[in-house]
Amino acid sequence: MLLRPLFFTSWLLDDFLAEEDLFGARAAVLSSASSKTASGTAFMLARREGIEVIGLTSPGSVEFVEGLGVYDRVVTYDDVASLPDGRTVYVDMSGAADVRADVHNRYGDDLAHSAAVGATHWSEMAAPPAPLPGPPPTLFFAPRPRPQALRGVGTRGP
């Protein structure tokens, strides 16, 4: 029962990324890879064709994250430079400003989308010291309205 809402968020993230055709990316980097929502999202993404799922975690969690079997690769926060090249989406479960900045600086214009989802590192949340390259982090909000659903809403007829 406890994990159901977390997995539902994972399912919604996977659905959102699939709906957007992963923004043209062939890799997804998930921070706080040991968290339940990140591992659930990785579980869903790993079943999709053509996407490399990369877990970003602390050095002490590498063995645990690798043991989950849902990530193609596991990278530590202090080794962001080793992340693969190419168009990538970032799913930020950590909320840590320095990690977000490192990922944005690593990918620049190759970062296809940056989804701010969680705050497992809530004590490290802050605005980055400088503007981030790539797309702005966008808060993932599951019940986001679809543009076509907004047509005519709030307008009055003749």
Side-chain angles (χ1 to χ4, degrees), residues 8-118:
F8 190 62
T9 300
S10 300
W11 183 84
L12 289 169
L13 274 163
D14 173 70
D15 182 62
F16 164 71
L17 292 171
E19 186 178 284
E20 298 295 335
D21 195 27
L22 293 156
F23 296 89
R26 292 296 153 234
V29 174
L30 286 71
S31 67
S32 198
S34 63
S35 73
K36 289 156 189 68
T37 305
S39 58
T41 304
F43 173 81
M44 298 298 292
L45 289 172
R47 277 136 184 79
R48 297 197 174 279
E49 295 286 324
I51 185 79
E52 181 180 14
V53 184
I54 304 161
L56 200 53
T57 193
S58 64
S61 296
V62 169
E63 187 176 339
F64 172 76
V65 173
E66 288 175 338
L68 293 172
V70 295
Y71 295 99
D72 296 307
R73 182 187 313 207
V74 177
V75 174
T76 59
Y77 292 124
D78 59 357
D79 197 21
V80 168
S82 75
L83 289 168
D85 292 336
R87 195 144 173 85
T88 300
V89 295
Y90 177 48
V91 180
D92 182 9
M93 302 288 182
S94 77
D98 60 337
V99 174
R100 184 181 326 108
D102 287 349
V103 171
H104 275 255
N105 286 318
R106 165 66 182 90
Y107 284 105
D109 290 337
D110 278 341
L111 190 60
H113 182 73
S114 179
V117 180

